[in-house]
Amino acid sequence: MKSHPFQLSSMAEYRAACQSADENPASFWAEVADSFQWIQPWESVVESDFEAAHFAWFKGAKLNITINALDRHARIQPQALALAWEPNDPNEQGRRFSYAELLQHVERTAGMLRRLGIKKGDTVGIYLPMVPELVFSVLACARIGAIHSVVFGGFSAQALASRLNDASCRLLITADEALRGAKKIALKNIADEALLASPSVERVLVFARTGAKVSMKPGRDLDWAESWSHANNPALGHAETMDAEDPLFILYTSGSTGKPKGVVHTTAGYMVWTAYTFVNVFQYKPGELHFCTADIGWITGHSYIVYGPLLAGASTLMFEGLPNWPDSNRWWQLIEKYKANIFYTAPTALRSLMADNKEGPMEFAMNSLRVLGSVGEPINAEAWHWFKDKVGKGRCALTDTWWQTETGGIMIAALAGMGSELPTYAGLPLPGIVPVLMDANGNRQPAGEAEGNLCLEKPWPGMARTVYGDHERLRQTYFSIHPGYYFTGDGCLRSKEGMYRITGRVDDVLNVSGHRLGTAELENAINAHSCVSESAVVGYPHSIKGQGICAFVVADFGNRPVFERNKEVLDLVGKIIGPIARPDLLVFVPGLPKTRSGKIMRRILRKIAEEQSDSMGDISTLLEPDLVPILQTAFLNEKKGGD
Ligand code: WTA
């Protein structure tokens, strides 16, 4: 049975959908969009101008995404489970919300925001742990037309401040503390530090997660529970009428240059794309429970914990804790406890669980599981097989899903259980998605087996519309490198059968444990140390994280001890960006390889870090070719020492 009119349930239907999305995108997407609830229909389905980087979908339409994610289902299936929450500590009670209850909570949160004077078009920063209040806050913003900007709880005060400032947030929603395994993180303290440098923030709403005593600034800070108790006027929870192209949220992501970009997604296209991809890629069946292990601070959590599943009327599980605390069976226990049907996670976590337990979770039958999904980074063959055979017991479909913050939702993936599964290959493009591979000279590769930089030729509803406050940056980053195409920044292989395998970033972006980090951002943080004169950051193969961060640093610490020098640099990066950005290897070197014109030759550093010095290429153009063996030795020594 189809769960939605637009569900594709065979390869033949998939191929027919691809053909009609290709031949007549407007009527294809209009038909998909017809199954949503609109306040007013659209005037045009799609406007697209690659040169100006201008795109619009369902222009003229009016809607509210939360009516589609909540009210619709609360009317038809009020008692169905919408959101289940599992706390960090297995001994603490979880929380469950039916569609009727989730709607009530979101309405009340919307009322709280309205009472604080937050209105359509305002930006709201959200810096919360993985608690239901995070989902209420996100959806309450969407309900009243405020633009949410969720900042991952692992980012530092400085990183939070720069995001709050860039988006001019008027309100920040945070918590006293976050729980991560046995650790507590003092979120409110970090937020307080950030707020010293965030003048746009007028009010701070503080959710008491642990009940720790935190300082509350009179006139600025408000307790969530207290505001909640006052927000009992149901009229304040109504859904604002939004234009299709009104911004829904901003999410910051790292690029190859400068500071992180505020990627903006708009209402109607994002709604259609996340619902369409959720229902089709995971082949969602009515009543199923979806367990996505991402954090809502990243796009995967936005699209496949919150919006996609709720738009489809599914039950979504959010988990506050870690896969390996109190022990490394936690996820398997949750799959059994909640009878999860779909399990969507990242290769990094699989590799680390696999390293602890090659045989897999034998004592957990996990009979409810039907579909496994992978996201965020290339999945190596070993992790793919472990996932399929040991977690899925060989009886679940496995879909490797390629996409990006900028794409809003899944772009290339197998439709679960359909067509062939090829380990390490993400599979086939979703209907409407036309991948093109470019060779080193920017020429389009002919169809069939090929390798090149992955570009996309056609617009799709979920594509990012702008970079907040800097549209030119969107145009330059994605639409100017290969004119007429969207450039993804990824390298890619295409098999004879037309399946795609993503090989990793071809720009200066690292993917560390599935987290995106820009090398320029990392170098700026390292260079902020007064003893450092310059640095260059490259990735290197890491058995668990996929890529590790290696920083070559030129510095003068006098005769201070090595451990002190390392600690200072690592702590500084942690302070400026966050703990996820701390380099794995710091290699102190006398100089960096440069061309005669003074440009750092990253290619050489990458080869050194990948231990592929045979393919170093021509180094004769270097200012100091003699540096190369010195850097190689320094890298190998550091790596040996670090193991
Ligand atoms: C990488 C995460 C290989 C890729 C949804 C992309 C992948 C970047 C896959 C986006 C995959 C994501 N196979 N690589 N299945 N999924 N990537 O914005 O390099 O955090 O450009 O979005 O992750 O990371 P982002």
Side-chain angles (χ1 to χ4, degrees):
M1 193 185 78
K2 287 185 193 292
S3 70
H4 287 75
F6 52 74
Q7 188 163 47
L8 306 166
S9 34
S10 66
M11 283 308 277
E13 284 185 17
Y14 162 75
R15 279 189 291 269
C18 290
Q19 196 179 348
S20 63
D22 193 37
E23 285 168 3
N24 196 343
S27 68
F28 179 82
W29 290 111
E31 200 179 318
V32 172
D34 261 341
S35 64
F36 293 82
Q37 199 171 316
W38 303 86
I39 297 169
Q40 182 183 301
W42 51 88
E43 283 151 17
S44 74
V45 176
V46 51
E47 271 176 16
S48 147
D49 178 347
F50 275 72
E51 208 175 310
H54 165 81
F55 303 92
W57 284 85
F58 311 109
K59 210 165 157 189
K62 303 227 182 267
L63 74 158
N64 187 290
I65 193 169
T66 68
I67 292 181
N68 285 280
L70 299 172
D71 305 55
R72 239 185 351 154
H73 309 301
R75 204 166 46 238
I76 302 164
Q77 44 164 15
Q79 305 313 324
L81 178 66
L83 173 69
W85 174 71
E86 170 74 16
N88 177 59
D89 184 338
N91 297 316
E92 194 187 333
Q93 188 73 35
R95 295 161 72 190
R96 297 168 75 88
F97 304 87
S98 67
Y99 270 95
E101 288 162 342
L102 185 57
L103 172 60
Q104 279 163 10
H105 281 74
V106 170
E107 284 175 324
R108 193 148 176 166
T109 311
M112 265 165 59
L113 302 188
R114 283 198 168 111
R115 279 174 53 95
L116 292 175
I118 301 300
K119 53 182 193 326
K120 184 169 170 172
D122 286 342
T123 46
V124 174
I126 303 178
Y127 186 62
L128 280 172
M130 284 284 283
V131 290
E133 282 67 18
L134 170 51
V135 175
F136 308 159
S137 299
V138 161
L139 294 172
C141 285
R143 193 142 184 103
I144 70 171
I147 304 165
H148 56 79
S149 171
V150 183
V151 179
F152 172 60
F155 279 119
S156 69
Q158 281 192 39
L160 172 61
S162 87
R163 286 158 173 77
L164 293 173
N165 281 321
D166 189 80
S168 306
C169 292
R170 289 189 59 203
L171 171 73
L172 173 66
I173 308 179
T174 187
D176 51 359
E177 291 184 312
L179 298 170
R180 277 180 73 74
K183 272 201 238 147
K184 285 185 176 162
I185 296 149
L187 278 196
K188 177 63 165 61
N189 284 348
I190 301 173
D192 279 339
E193 195 188 326
L195 288 163
L196 294 174
S198 313
S200 63
V201 178
E202 298 156 30
R203 286 301 180 88
V204 180
L205 202 47
V206 185
F207 173 68
R209 170 64 186 101
T210 63
K213 201 159 166 40
V214 291
S215 70
M216 296 289 277
K217 188 170 167 187
R220 186 195 70 183
D221 299 355
L222 295 159
D223 176 56
W224 175 288
E226 203 185 316
S227 303
W228 181 264
S229 70
H230 297 309
N232 49 6
N233 176 359
L236 288 179
H238 69 272
E240 195 72 38
T241 298
M242 304 301 290
D243 286 331
E245 284 295 341
D246 275 337
L248 175 64
F249 66 86
I250 306 171
L251 189 58
Y252 285 84
T253 189
S254 296
S256 37
T257 52
K259 61 179 183 119
K261 295 186 275 283
V263 170
V264 176
H265 283 285
T266 58
T267 307
Y270 178 81
M271 172 179 82
V272 168
W273 192 244
T274 50
Y276 184 79
T277 51
F278 175 77
V279 163
N280 281 308
V281 173
F282 301 110
Q283 286 293 302
Y284 165 70
K285 293 190 169 64
E288 284 194 328
L289 185 128
H290 174 73
F291 178 18
C292 166
T293 65
D295 190 290
I296 294 174
W298 308 111
I299 191 69
T300 306
H302 280 61
S303 301
Y304 299 107
I305 296 180
V306 184
Y307 288 108
L310 295 176
L311 286 163
S315 305
T316 183
L317 170 62
M318 77 188 286
F319 173 41
E320 185 184 31
L322 303 173
N324 55 2
W325 189 83
D327 62 44
S328 54
N329 285 327
R330 192 72 194 278
W331 279 353
W332 325 132
Q333 283 159 350
L334 295 187
I335 289 169
E336 295 215 321
K337 176 173 170 186
Y338 291 91
K339 303 198 170 37
N341 308 103
I342 309 168
F343 179 55
Y344 192 31
T345 192
T348 287
L350 295 172
R351 284 191 295 261
S352 113
L353 293 166
M354 179 174 71
D356 284 351
N357 182 1
K358 271 245 162 332
E359 294 315 309
M362 298 223 272
E363 51 297 25
F364 297 88
M366 299 185 279
N367 283 321
S368 57
L369 278 183
R370 188 178 58 79
V371 174
L372 308 173
S374 174
V375 60
E377 45 178 325
I379 182 164
N380 50 310
E382 208 188 347
W384 193 98
H385 286 292
W386 191 81
F387 200 18
K388 175 95 183 167
D389 301 337
K390 309 295 181 190
V391 179
K393 317 289 180 191
R395 60 175 168 71
C396 297
L398 198 170
T399 174
D400 175 14
T401 64
W402 172 83
W403 58 296
Q404 311 177 300
T405 304
E406 297 86 341
T407 69
I410 298 168
M411 303 291 280
I412 299 181
L415 303 189
M418 280 185 232
S420 48
E421 284 176 357
L422 196 56
T424 77
Y425 276 76
L428 301 171
L430 269 285
I433 303 305
V434 183
V436 168
L437 302 183
M438 300 288 181
D439 70 14
N441 302 319
N443 296 322
R444 192 183 160 132
Q445 305 266 43
E449 206 170 349
E451 178 170 8
N453 290 350
L454 177 62
C455 291
L456 302 165
E457 195 182 352
K458 296 240 167 124
W460 65 99
M463 68 199 299
R465 298 296 195 271
T466 192
V467 167
Y468 195 75
D470 192 356
H471 190 72
E472 177 55 15
R473 200 162 165 207
L474 180 93
R475 200 192 59 78
Q476 263 186 12
T477 314
Y478 306 101
F479 297 97
S480 70
I481 296 164
H482 297 286
Y485 299 88
Y486 168 89
F487 173 53
T488 64
D490 280 314
C492 185
L493 297 174
R494 182 169 52 215
S495 74
K496 280 201 296 294
E497 303 75 25
M499 293 183 69
Y500 289 86
R501 175 185 180 170
I502 311 301
T503 49
R505 302 287 304 197
V506 293
D507 54 5
D508 289 321
V509 171
L510 306 184
N511 192 327
V512 182
S513 300
H515 299 152
R516 254 168 89 163
L517 292 164
T519 53
E521 207 184 332
L522 290 159
E523 288 159 11
N524 288 342
I526 295 169
N527 298 349
H529 194 290
S530 58
C531 298
V532 172
S533 51
E534 60 180 345
S535 63
V537 170
V538 294
Y540 71 98
H542 189 289
S543 60
I544 305 287
K545 298 177 167 190
Q547 268 189 313
I549 306 173
C550 170
F552 290 92
V553 187
V554 184
D556 183 1
F557 277 83
N559 47 16
R560 291 170 54 196
V562 171
F563 77 88
E564 209 177 284
R565 170 190 83 180
N566 286 4
K567 184 172 181 316
E568 278 186 21
V569 174
L570 294 177
D571 287 352
L572 185 63
V573 177
K575 189 165 162 351
I576 296 178
I577 308 176
I580 50 168
R582 287 165 69 100
D584 300 277
L585 292 177
L586 286 177
V587 186
F588 285 87
V589 291
L592 298 174
K594 289 188 182 162
T595 59
R596 294 209 168 84
S597 58
K599 200 165 169 278
I600 298 175
M601 295 277 277
R602 287 169 185 285
R603 177 176 56 85
I604 294 192
L605 293 172
R606 264 187 230 123
K607 290 287 177 197
I608 293 176
E610 285 163 9
E611 295 177 53
Q612 289 185 350
S613 23
D614 316 349
S615 55
M616 190 93 74
D618 183 14
I619 59 168
S620 63
T621 55
L622 284 184
L623 192 59
E624 294 176 90
D626 297 348
L627 259 180
V628 174
I630 299 174
L631 300 183
Q632 272 171 321
T633 313
F635 172 81
L636 292 173
N637 282 342
E638 197 52 49
K639 192 162 172 228
K640 240 192 345 254
D643 283 347

